[in-house]
Amino acid sequence: MDLSLTHVGGPTTLLEVAGWRILTDPTFDAPGRTYRFGWGTSSRKTAGPAVPAAEIGPIDAVLLTHDHHADNLDDAGRALLPDVGVVATTASGALRLTRSGLGRSVRGLRPWQTTVLQAPGRPAVTVTATPARHGIRGSRPIVGDVIGFSLTWEGQQHGAVWVSGDTVLYGGLGEVATRVDVGTAVLHLGRVGFPVTGPLAYTMGGREAVELCGLLEPVTVVPVHYEGWSHFRQGRDRILADLADAPPGIADRFRWPTPGVPLRLPV
């Protein structure tokens, strides 16, 4: 069984496996707009989606790592949610979506809680929320809750599909390495930063990705969330430079999807 992964742009990725169509962090707005994230931070969208929202097709489930930053859920992405069978997100995000009238199919999860996607004729997919921290220690009251997702189903041969979410490298990801047999790691990189907060990073960069891969030992690594927005401080070239200095075998695990073109991966 293969996984078809289509990188739409930024963090947005379409996962297709065994009849399931699962979308992560929907962002489909046109480029050019600047979005405010609060506390003096903002980012301008510099590239549009490789697949427009009107062409994405039916979606069975959305895995929303967090709802309160527009580079993970923008206006066009939000407009898709009422037609989605299941939206899994943070517990706090589920409350916000419910209050905004989008909570009919929302399931709020805290780290290590699970929910199951079920449909006739398809294998059940267990979705487990995994820890994420969108900044330095103590930043959660400012940047809000974030989670990642582990996807498992009967018949997997190479381990779980894991979406890191927007996170720095910290002890919670070590817990993921201990508790999840990760086969395919979809890593949110880009080393997000803002002028107002100086050198502080809010997501991983290339060096952190290398260190994390040493812990996880995944079969495949798919980088996303490193292009298309002005707050990304590391693009593909810088990540590749860090991979060039990685221990033997790590760089070989990385697969770089062409936006809009399905990438087939064994699972």
Side-chain angles (χ1 to χ4, degrees):
M1 182 184 300
D2 285 348
L3 167 71
S4 174
L5 182 153
T6 304
H7 185 206
V8 175
T12 309
T13 304
L14 177 63
L15 308 174
E16 297 176 88
V17 64
W20 290 102
R21 306 185 81 249
I22 300 170
L23 188 69
T24 70
D25 288 348
T27 55
F28 291 94
D29 283 359
R33 178 177 166 188
T34 296
Y35 299 80
R36 307 293 175 184
F37 298 148
W39 300 89
T41 63
S42 65
S43 184
R44 182 171 57 87
K45 189 169 187 179
T46 60
V51 183
E55 299 176 13
I56 199 67
I59 300 298
D60 298 303
V62 162
L63 306 181
L64 180 57
T65 67
H66 58 302
D67 69 300
H68 52 282
H69 292 155
D71 60 322
N72 296 84
L73 181 66
D74 60 17
D75 291 344
R78 192 176 293 267
L80 292 178
L81 298 186
D83 295 325
V84 173
V86 173
V87 178
T89 190
T90 63
S92 57
L95 288 174
R96 283 188 292 269
L97 293 175
T98 297
R99 289 168 182 164
S100 67
L102 299 174
R104 178 179 57 83
S105 60
V106 176
R107 303 178 187 180
L109 301 174
R110 292 181 171 84
W112 302 118
Q113 289 185 328
T114 66
T115 190
V116 179
L117 307 179
Q118 294 179 305
R122 306 179 202 171
V125 177
T126 299
V127 178
T128 303
T130 59
R133 194 180 76 197
H134 203 355
I136 62 172
R137 184 187 299 273
S139 62
R140 183 167 282 114
I142 297 173
V143 298
D145 294 327
V146 181
I147 53 175
F149 296 98
S150 168
L151 280 66
T152 57
W153 58 87
E154 188 175 350
Q156 273 181 333
Q157 297 182 4
H158 301 291
V161 176
W162 178 59
V163 180
S164 71
D166 286 13
T167 183
V168 296
L169 182 61
Y170 79 113
L173 300 194
E175 192 177 356
V176 173
T178 300
R179 298 179 61 165
V180 182
D181 176 19
V182 176
T184 301
V186 181
L187 299 187
H188 289 206
L189 302 180
R191 196 170 174 79
V192 163
F194 304 96
V196 72
T197 54
L200 296 181
Y202 296 87
T203 59
M204 294 181 287
R207 291 183 180 179
E208 292 78 18
V210 168
E211 184 176 348
L212 179 60
C213 289
L215 297 174
L216 296 174
E217 298 185 342
V219 176
T220 307
V221 180
V222 181
V224 299
H225 192 268
Y226 60 85
E227 47 69 48
W229 291 81
S230 64
H231 64 334
F232 292 145
R233 290 179 169 174
Q234 285 193 4
R236 177 171 175 169
D237 289 347
R238 175 61 186 277
I239 298 168
L240 285 171
D242 288 332
L243 287 175
D245 296 328
I250 287 185
D252 296 336
R253 301 171 191 254
F254 277 67
R255 299 286 302 277
W256 296 83
T258 300
V261 178
L263 174 65
R264 300 196 72 82
L265 302 170
V267 292

